[in-house]
Amino acid sequence: MKSKILNTGPERTIALVFETGDEVIPLLEEFAKANALSASRFSAIGALRGAVLGYFDWERKDYDRIPVGEQVEVLSLNGDIALDGDQPTVHAHAVLGRRDGSTVGGHVLQATVQPTLEVLLIESPGYLRKTCDRESGLALIDIDA
Amino acid sequence: MKSKILNTGPERTIALVFETGDEVIPLLEEFAKANALSASRFSAIGALRGAVLGYFDWERKDYDRIPVGEQVEVLSLNGDIALDGDQPTVHAHAVLGRRDGSTVGGHVLQATVQPTLEVLLIESPGYLRKTCDRESGLALIDIDA
Amino acid sequence: MKSKILNTGPERTIALVFETGDEVIPLLEEFAKANALSASRFSAIGALRGAVLGYFDWERKDYDRIPVGEQVEVLSLNGDIALDGDQPTVHAHAVLGRRDGSTVGGHVLQATVQPTLEVLLIESPGYLRKTCDRESGLALIDIDA
């Protein structure tokens, strides 16, 4: 485990409210790029009309796709934004709730909002950088980068 | 329920500790009103002796009730507080864990603590306001309001 | 999607990045002791190659053990750090996601990272102290202590 202090001074808290039909990941990345976010975290609740979640398969070194083709509550959606090269990239995991209260979760590959997603995003003045992890092939946050 | 201010600055972090028998939603709303919270977020862990979760039914434009009649761990309980008119309103989603590790989740309609719920609430100096969403009939955060 | 700045402003945010093989709870407690954390909260996403979760059994006044013997996504891992006597102690609850998107969750007794766990920890300048709760036998946060 390695650690890095991301702020000693001010952080900014930004509310992001998504509407019906909004695609969460591309809009978050667009926002991150437009605002040059270099080290942010976020948490959200709301609801989706559909999603594709991922489970990382170590054999294939890629995500299995878990389609969620129904209206679900977003019970938790937590993530961070770090730099991959000079581009902000979004990493988010979610737990979704079905009509009977059962849950399904994974890495968020795709998520379509209905009717709202309320995201509280906290922007730190520091930065986090990703580098390619040789074992998994994934771009992971590298404290020393 | 008791509270303690953990920092003073542009945002305030407040720990709220709930005890056995405390009802989460009315006590949080009471606290929000007493402190005139206009834009807060919170996250909690702990345990409940029972809860009623909700899943929003688009046909009825109301929440289906999912009763949870057993002792459960609060695996996540995330939410926000925004103004509906001039009144702070609490919006919270939870994932609860049963004895065998299986989970149930939804919009928190009712939750009774046992033995503790540890809430970290962050109060922002700004405000968020809700307006009625015509499509769903729900009061949703409206950034422009 | 629309956005609004809610604040500008002071706590310390620390990124902790865990690597393959890292044990989450002892490393977090070591970090908390080395940095004399007296009131912190954290949230994490990532993946584990195994874990032991807990469900508190009121009869035995101890945690049932729920072993998770497979690679899982960390969908949420939320917790806090408070003082038990003069020692920082970690309290964490997690929801983990399996290959098919099904979830398992509980109090985190043990968790082994693979390939990464990205923790955002926020250190407050105040303190939280635990005392023994007579009803449960657990050390719980006591606002008055």
Side-chain angles (χ1 to χ4, degrees):
Chain A
M1 189 199 73
K2 297 179 179 180
S3 66
K4 181 177 185 176
I5 297 171
L6 294 178
N7 79 319
T8 43
E11 287 186 319
R12 277 206 306 177
T13 299
I14 303 169
L16 300 173
V17 177
F18 292 71
E19 296 174 321
T20 295
D22 280 350
E23 288 295 324
V24 178
I25 301 298
L27 282 170
L28 260 182
E29 290 204 318
E30 200 177 291
F31 182 84
K33 285 174 189 173
N35 291 275
L37 302 185
S38 55
S40 293
R41 62 188 190 275
F42 55 85
S43 181
I45 60 171
L48 304 176
R49 69 181 182 207
V52 179
L53 302 175
Y55 173 90
F56 189 72
D57 181 297
W58 280 84
E59 299 298 315
R60 296 192 302 114
K61 304 268 188 263
D62 199 3
Y63 285 96
D64 287 353
R65 292 169 68 87
I66 304 163
V68 179
E70 63 194 288
Q71 176 75 21
V72 283
E73 303 284 336
V74 176
L75 305 180
S76 76
L77 191 157
N78 297 330
D80 51 52
I81 298 173
L83 297 172
D84 190 0
D86 58 355
Q87 292 299 306
T89 56
V90 172
H91 187 196
H93 284 193
V95 182
L96 308 177
R98 300 190 193 92
R99 183 179 290 272
D100 63 356
S102 66
T103 63
V104 58
H107 175 96
V108 183
L109 293 170
Q110 190 255 317
T112 312
V113 172
Q114 179 171 282
T116 194
L117 185 75
E118 305 165 356
V119 180
L120 275 301
L121 183 150
I122 295 92
E123 178 192 4
S124 292
Y127 68 89
L128 290 169
R129 215 174 273 285
K130 293 193 165 187
T131 59
C132 184
D133 172 56
R134 268 192 295 182
E135 194 194 4
S136 64
L138 291 167
L140 303 182
I141 292 176
D142 178 354
I143 290 289
D144 301 324
Chain B
M1 193 198 69
K2 299 174 179 180
S3 66
K4 181 177 183 178
I5 296 171
L6 294 178
N7 80 319
T8 50
E11 284 190 321
R12 280 204 306 176
T13 298
I14 304 169
L16 301 173
V17 177
F18 292 72
E19 296 175 321
T20 296
D22 280 350
E23 288 295 325
V24 178
I25 301 298
L27 282 170
L28 261 182
E29 289 204 320
E30 201 175 289
F31 182 85
K33 285 175 189 172
N35 291 275
L37 302 185
S38 54
S40 293
R41 63 188 189 274
F42 55 86
S43 181
I45 59 171
L48 304 176
R49 68 182 184 208
V52 179
L53 302 176
Y55 173 90
F56 189 72
D57 182 296
W58 280 84
E59 299 298 314
R60 295 192 303 113
K61 303 267 188 264
D62 199 3
Y63 286 97
D64 286 353
R65 293 170 67 86
I66 304 164
V68 179
E70 63 194 288
Q71 178 75 22
V72 284
E73 304 283 338
V74 176
L75 306 179
S76 77
L77 192 157
N78 296 331
D80 50 53
I81 298 173
L83 296 172
D84 190 2
D86 59 354
Q87 291 300 306
T89 56
V90 172
H91 186 198
H93 284 193
V95 182
L96 308 176
R98 302 190 192 91
R99 183 178 290 272
D100 63 356
S102 65
T103 63
V104 57
H107 175 96
V108 183
L109 292 169
Q110 189 256 318
T112 313
V113 172
Q114 179 172 281
T116 195
L117 186 75
E118 305 165 356
V119 181
L120 274 302
L121 183 149
I122 295 90
E123 179 193 3
S124 292
Y127 68 90
L128 291 170
R129 213 173 275 284
K130 294 193 166 188
T131 59
C132 184
D133 173 56
R134 267 193 295 183
E135 193 194 6
S136 65
L138 290 167
L140 304 182
I141 293 176
D142 178 355
I143 290 288
D144 299 324
Chain C
M1 193 195 70
K2 299 174 180 180
S3 67
K4 180 176 180 177
I5 297 172
L6 293 178
N7 83 319
T8 48
E11 284 181 320
R12 269 208 311 177
T13 299
I14 304 169
L16 300 173
V17 177
F18 293 72
E19 296 174 321
T20 295
D22 280 350
E23 289 295 325
V24 177
I25 301 298
L27 282 171
L28 260 182
E29 290 204 319
E30 201 176 288
F31 182 84
K33 285 174 188 172
N35 291 275
L37 302 185
S38 56
S40 294
R41 64 188 189 273
F42 54 86
S43 181
I45 60 171
L48 304 175
R49 67 181 183 209
V52 180
L53 302 176
Y55 173 91
F56 190 73
D57 182 296
W58 280 84
E59 299 298 315
R60 295 191 302 113
K61 304 266 187 267
D62 199 3
Y63 285 98
D64 287 353
R65 294 169 67 86
I66 304 163
V68 179
E70 63 194 287
Q71 177 75 21
V72 284
E73 304 283 337
V74 176
L75 305 180
S76 77
L77 192 157
N78 296 331
D80 51 52
I81 298 174
L83 297 171
D84 190 1
D86 58 355
Q87 292 299 307
T89 57
V90 172
H91 186 198
H93 284 193
V95 182
L96 308 176
R98 300 191 193 92
R99 182 179 289 274
D100 63 356
S102 66
T103 64
V104 57
H107 175 96
V108 182
L109 293 169
Q110 190 254 317
T112 312
V113 172
Q114 178 172 283
T116 194
L117 186 74
E118 305 165 354
V119 181
L120 274 301
L121 183 149
I122 295 92
E123 179 193 2
S124 292
Y127 68 90
L128 291 169
R129 213 173 275 285
K130 294 193 166 187
T131 60
C132 184
D133 172 55
R134 269 193 294 182
E135 194 194 2
S136 64
L138 291 167
L140 303 182
I141 293 176
D142 178 355
I143 290 289
D144 300 325

